[in-house]
Amino acid sequence: MKYESESIEYKVKLNDGIYKEIIAFANTDGGIVYVGVDDKGEVIGLEDVDEVYTKVTNGIRDAVRPDVTMFVRCTLRSDDTIEINVQEGSSKPYYLKSKGMKPSGVFVRQGASSVQASPDRIRMMIKDSDGDVFEEMRSVDQDLTFSAAASAFKKYGVDFSENKYPALGINNYSDKEYTNLALILSDQCPYTVKIAVFDDENNTIFKDAKEFGGSIFTQLEQAYSYLKLCNHIESTFEDLKRIEKRDYPSEALREGLINALIHRDYGFSGSIIINVNSSRIEFISIGGLMAGLSTEDIKSGISQPRNRKLAEVFHRLKLVESYGTGIRRIYSLYDGKISKPAIITTPNTFKLVLPNMNVGKSFVKEPTFTYSAAPVRITEQMRKVVDYLRHHGEMTGEELQELLHVKQTRAYVLAKEMRDKGIIEVIGRGPDRKYRLK
């Protein structure tokens, strides 16, 4: 026998730790587990090798998710040991069913040891296996419930039984694992909507602030109810007739909110931001325009949903009529008004501005410029940097290295690339250098 290595593991007897080794090999480059052999490679043998063989084959099927059995071959050897040959799997990450798809349940091979995978490693494995469409990738959180989604589907008369989940994109057909779309619809959805009401037009003096979480359906209901409270009525008189006009068309608020929920980039963890003041409401969602689209395309009704399956769910519930009509409808509601809605985009944000129709002068004008730069490709490392800067405002070179687990040279090259693409700006020089979003 050889010594233990990146591809060889010995176990004197069968115990639950064996499944950790099988997972590690399947998540890395494959390997062999020998049962009935000590750490030095000496054959000890198993007393009841047939019984152990049955237990291990059943255990692999029951303890590991997703199904890894097609990549595992168990062989009874003549010396009363068992050889478990594990190939690299195609549906990484494999994990312990009892622990879930988190570091305590996901293992990789590192030298002659099987160690827990980091959250970043887990996300990268999901991306490599499932592709780069966020809503179709497997959710790291598999402990999901759907009470709010079930209520919403029932309210709109659409079947939400579990046999409909694969067609909706909530789980996959084979292992029934939940997708990120399921996470967004679930009661455990980690993304939120924040609404801030300001006492000045520069949005610097807070009057009130609310944050809405839970299922995207809960956020839709609660955020819209709050926006209705912000939609004041102004009364005027024509002779003896009292005329009441709301600050904003109710349908415009509804469409603006739904547009932000459907089209935001859920690859980022930040919130949808809605700013309210006396002259306008701003809907700010993460994720700029999809490649190849312009603001004029959007206003013309051309749509390329970032989250196609999520848009289909909203369409199925008749919360949206068809792709691309929402923004066009908003503009039509302001026909004949002094102020018009405005769309302002950056590579990573989409802002829809609705002017208060009861304000006598035009506070919101259409931008006189268009963003004409070529679409910017954002790598996974860049996403992490942008996400960090959204939360913390700025970062040092050391913080950049620590965030990405890279050395100084790689951090410098990445920062330069992000600066050249117009994503960040560099403040200061030498040891005092800091990075901020541009």
Side-chain angles (χ1 to χ4, degrees):
M1 287 283 186
K2 300 178 181 179
Y3 289 108
E4 289 185 329
S5 66
E6 289 184 354
S7 59
I8 295 176
E9 178 71 29
Y10 299 133
K11 293 291 181 184
V12 174
K13 59 183 180 180
L14 176 65
N15 55 45
D16 289 343
I18 198 168
Y19 306 118
K20 177 181 77 173
E21 314 299 344
I22 291 170
I23 287 170
F25 284 138
N27 280 335
T28 316
D29 299 316
I32 302 174
V33 181
Y34 293 97
V35 187
V37 180
D38 67 16
D39 291 343
K40 296 180 180 179
E42 297 293 331
V43 174
I44 305 300
L46 299 165
E47 290 185 5
D48 194 340
V49 67
D50 291 325
E51 181 181 348
V52 174
Y53 179 85
T54 301
K55 285 183 178 179
V56 73
T57 53
N58 290 338
I60 293 170
R61 184 186 65 245
D62 297 337
V64 181
R65 292 289 181 273
D67 184 5
V68 74
T69 55
M70 68 185 75
F71 301 103
V72 178
R73 186 178 70 254
C74 297
T75 305
L76 286 172
R77 293 164 55 92
S78 59
D79 54 5
D80 289 333
T81 62
I82 298 174
E83 178 182 309
I84 306 172
N85 197 303
V86 185
Q87 299 178 38
E88 181 181 0
S90 62
S91 298
K92 305 175 188 178
Y94 295 92
Y95 59 91
L96 288 171
K97 179 183 177 181
S98 60
K99 297 293 186 180
M101 203 186 310
K102 47 183 179 284
S104 60
V106 182
F107 301 90
V108 293
R109 199 68 177 171
Q110 192 173 85
S113 301
S114 296
V115 300
Q116 291 184 4
S118 67
D120 287 345
R121 181 80 176 267
I122 293 172
R123 284 192 290 268
M124 188 59 66
M125 282 191 281
I126 293 173
K127 182 177 178 180
D128 290 342
S129 296
D130 298 356
D132 201 18
V133 180
F134 180 82
E135 62 178 353
E136 297 178 4
M137 295 163 62
R138 282 169 289 169
S139 169
V140 173
D141 186 357
Q142 290 289 314
D143 297 322
L144 305 179
T145 59
F146 301 96
S147 58
S151 296
F153 273 68
K154 183 178 180 180
K155 177 180 178 180
Y156 297 107
V158 180
D159 186 9
F160 192 66
S161 53
E162 288 191 23
N163 64 330
K164 299 292 184 183
Y165 286 6
L168 291 169
I170 290 175
N171 63 18
N172 55 44
Y173 286 92
S174 55
D175 296 296
K176 305 298 184 184
E177 289 186 301
Y178 291 127
T179 63
N180 281 328
L181 173 63
L183 179 65
I184 296 167
L185 302 182
S186 75
D187 304 316
Q188 290 73 33
C189 176
Y191 311 100
T192 63
V193 174
K194 294 180 180 179
I195 302 180
V197 182
F198 295 92
D199 202 27
D200 66 319
E201 294 177 18
N202 293 321
N203 294 345
T204 58
I205 304 173
F206 272 105
K207 290 177 64 177
D208 192 24
K210 299 286 184 182
E211 183 171 9
F212 304 98
S215 169
I216 193 173
F217 296 114
T218 303
Q219 295 179 44
L220 174 61
E221 294 286 344
Q222 294 181 352
Y224 182 62
S225 295
Y226 187 78
L227 286 175
K228 288 196 295 184
L229 296 177
C230 300
N231 193 10
H232 303 130
I233 297 175
E234 182 175 288
S235 299
T236 59
F237 290 88
E238 289 184 5
D239 296 328
L240 297 177
K241 183 180 180 181
R242 179 187 177 96
I243 300 174
E244 295 183 343
K245 294 182 180 179
R246 291 198 173 273
D247 292 342
Y248 305 93
S250 296
E251 191 176 356
L253 296 181
R254 175 185 177 279
E255 293 292 341
L257 177 58
I258 289 177
N259 181 79
L261 289 169
I262 290 179
H263 295 289
R264 70 152 286 172
D265 188 342
Y266 287 96
F268 291 102
S269 60
S271 302
I272 291 171
I273 303 296
I274 302 176
N275 296 325
V276 183
N277 62 40
S278 61
S279 67
R280 64 189 181 275
I281 292 181
E282 302 170 343
F283 295 85
I284 307 171
S285 54
I286 299 173
L289 292 176
M290 296 291 285
L293 295 184
S294 67
T295 56
E296 294 303 317
D297 294 330
I298 298 298
K299 287 185 287 185
S300 298
I302 296 174
S303 178
Q304 184 180 350
R306 175 177 280 108
N307 307 297
R308 181 178 58 83
K309 291 185 181 294
L310 179 60
E312 288 175 355
V313 168
F314 272 64
H315 180 61
R316 186 172 297 203
L317 299 184
K318 294 183 171 56
L319 289 168
V320 295
E321 290 184 5
S322 60
Y323 303 150
T325 61
I327 296 295
R328 197 169 61 209
R329 189 178 301 113
I330 289 173
Y331 272 83
S332 70
L333 293 168
Y334 280 81
D335 284 347
K337 304 299 180 182
I338 296 175
S339 299
K340 302 291 184 181
I343 295 174
I344 303 170
T345 66
T346 71
N348 296 301
T349 59
F350 182 96
K351 180 192 289 188
L352 171 66
V353 185
L354 301 182
N356 186 334
M357 294 196 302
N358 287 325
V359 174
K361 59 182 180 179
S362 175
F363 285 100
V364 182
K365 297 180 180 179
E366 285 282 358
T368 56
F369 64 91
T370 56
Y371 184 80
S372 58
V376 177
R377 180 178 179 272
I378 303 296
T379 66
E380 188 66 25
Q381 287 184 323
M382 291 179 183
R383 283 181 183 274
K384 292 180 185 178
V385 174
V386 171
D387 208 17
Y388 182 95
L389 292 175
R390 288 187 186 283
H391 284 84
H392 298 87
E394 62 183 24
M395 69 191 313
T396 64
E398 289 78 8
E399 288 170 335
L400 177 58
Q401 294 175 52
E402 183 176 349
L403 175 68
L404 301 179
H405 306 293
V406 297
K407 295 183 178 180
Q408 183 177 5
T409 302
R410 172 57 188 158
Y412 174 80
V413 171
L414 180 70
K416 182 178 183 301
E417 184 179 357
M418 294 182 70
R419 183 196 64 189
D420 294 343
K421 289 185 174 183
I423 301 171
I424 64 172
E425 59 182 353
V426 182
I427 309 297
R429 304 180 66 181
D432 298 325
R433 181 188 293 114
K434 293 183 179 179
Y435 306 109
R436 297 176 185 167
L437 286 178
K438 191 169 183 181

